[in-house]
Amino acid sequence: MDLPTIALAAAAGFVGGAMNALAGGGTFATLPSLLALGLPANLANATSNVALLPGAGTSAWAFRDELAPLSGVSIKLLAAITFAGGLVGSVLLVLTPSRAFDVIIPWLVLYAFVVLAFGKSASGWLQRRVSIGRRTLLSAQMLLGVYGGYFGGGVGLMTTATYGLLAGHSPRELFAPRTLMLAVANLAAAVVFIAAGMVRWWACLPMLAGAVIGGWAGAHVGKKLPASVVRGWTLLVTGATVIVFFARAYG
């Protein structure tokens, strides 16, 4: 390790932690940085997940006073389902060969980008036409947990869109539960990734330190920053990441 490597990892962690606290999408700051440092995509994803965990926990703690049931479903139940889904998703990643993940990941990032760009409009359109109950919300939470454990890129954005559709809450009301579910999914995945030896600690530790500071700062700034600014920045970063990953996998 040298100073530029440490600085890059720490800076990416700070930005990723802040993005997760504000709107999700922190993986799009940390993952490209780890790829630039020479890690294979699956190891970079596992390392990014563990590095962002404390930052997600810091953000969740900052929002703890705003936690409340969603459409009558307790936060504890949603968290338990998320943890179970995160375990399943992270095991799937461990079983995915590195080259296969290189080919899969651009499509996952593209999916996250589409959700970010059009999820709010689609959610509003569906809310005006359908009413979905508790069982569907629980099933959707399990799928979000699996995705969060497997990749996690954009899962915060997907959670916001899903809760808006299924529970009828505004994005601002979802800061607290969304941030908590991100932390829970990351925790489940971290258990598996560490046990499987997929985390590269030389990159993870400085990134982790940056993410803690970024998560704390982002949670406090998020209470004041206009949603349009957060969304625009996240859309820009995600779009650039889509281009990088497609060029890397298919170029």
Side-chain angles (χ1 to χ4, degrees), residues 101-127:
F101 191 70
D102 285 340
V103 175
I104 293 170
I105 195 173
W107 299 99
L108 296 177
V109 178
L110 178 61
Y111 173 61
F113 177 78
V114 171
V115 169
L116 171 61
F118 304 106
K120 184 177 180 180
S121 300
S123 176
W125 185 87
L126 288 171
Q127 276 183 15

Side-chain angles (χ1 to χ4, degrees), residues 159-187:
T159 300
T160 298
T162 300
Y163 287 174
L165 169 62
L166 303 183
H169 293 277
S170 69
R172 179 60 187 88
E173 293 175 318
L174 299 174
F175 266 20
R178 185 209 66 221
T179 304
L180 177 62
M181 298 310 148
L182 281 173
V184 170
N186 277 14
L187 176 61

Side-chain angles (χ1 to χ4, degrees), residues 71 125-134 136 165-168:
S71 294
W125 185 87
L126 288 171
Q127 276 183 15
R128 293 189 293 270
R129 290 163 174 79
V130 297
S131 177
I132 301 175
R134 171 189 173 99
T136 305
L165 169 62
L166 303 183

Side-chain angles (χ1 to χ4, degrees), residues 138-166:
L138 296 178
S139 299
Q141 189 62 54
M142 172 59 77
L143 293 175
L144 287 168
V146 172
Y147 179 81
Y150 185 79
F151 174 51
V155 68
L157 311 170
M158 295 173 194
T159 300
T160 298
T162 300
Y163 287 174
L165 169 62
L166 303 183

Side-chain angles (χ1 to χ4, degrees), residues 19 23-24 28 112-118 157 228-242:
M19 288 176 65
F28 300 128
F113 177 78
V114 171
V115 169
L116 171 61
F118 304 106
L157 311 170
S228 59
V229 174
V230 175
R231 184 176 182 276
W233 166 254
T234 308
L235 188 62
L236 178 64
V237 173
T238 308
T241 306
V242 170

